[in-house]
Amino acid sequence: MALYLTRFSYTPQTWDRLTRNPEDRRDAARSYIESVGGKLHGFWYAFGSHDGYTLWEAPDNVSMAAVAIAIGGGGAVSKYETTPLLTVEETLEAMELARTVGYRSPGA
């Protein structure tokens, strides 16, 4: 399974609803990813350019995309970005494969 980091920001209306009725959104996040056969590894709130971060594990990109589409279409978030994370081993494999690509700099 692959790991994914998401960054999200709630809408002002969502913050208003959560302020009036606080709830642990980890439970909801866990149910979303488990519905596609994945696992929630972490859920954090922050202040700065994003309101929160999650670390998910999903069987594949399509499964993670389904969760992202459902959350993004739900109207509670104003921003939702997902980054697939590579293991060190996957990155080393990519570095080896990169030597065979034959990249040429523009104008060279």
Side-chain angles (χ1 to χ4, degrees):
M1 286 213 263
L3 290 172
Y4 300 87
L5 173 71
T6 59
R7 294 164 302 283
F8 65 90
S9 292
Y10 288 137
T11 64
Q13 295 81 7
T14 300
W15 276 121
D16 181 56
R17 286 192 308 271
L18 286 170
T19 300
R20 291 180 204 209
N21 185 24
E23 68 175 281
D24 187 342
R25 293 299 295 168
R26 289 178 294 188
D27 297 332
R30 188 174 296 107
S31 72
Y32 305 149
I33 197 67
E34 287 177 354
S35 74
V36 297
K39 181 178 180 181
L40 177 67
H41 286 278
F43 188 113
W44 301 269
Y45 286 109
F47 43 91
S49 59
H50 295 88
D51 294 331
Y53 297 83
T54 55
L55 181 60
W56 319 81
E57 187 173 7
D60 51 50
N61 286 338
V62 172
S63 300
M64 188 65 233
V67 172
I69 290 166
I71 292 170
V77 296
S78 61
K79 286 192 282 188
Y80 191 86
E81 302 168 3
T82 303
T83 302
L85 301 175
L86 295 147
T87 65
V88 172
E89 291 76 18
E90 289 170 323
T91 304
L92 290 169
E93 186 178 339
M95 288 179 202
E96 291 289 330
L97 190 56
R99 294 190 298 193
T100 68
V101 171
Y103 175 77
R104 181 184 60 78
S105 296

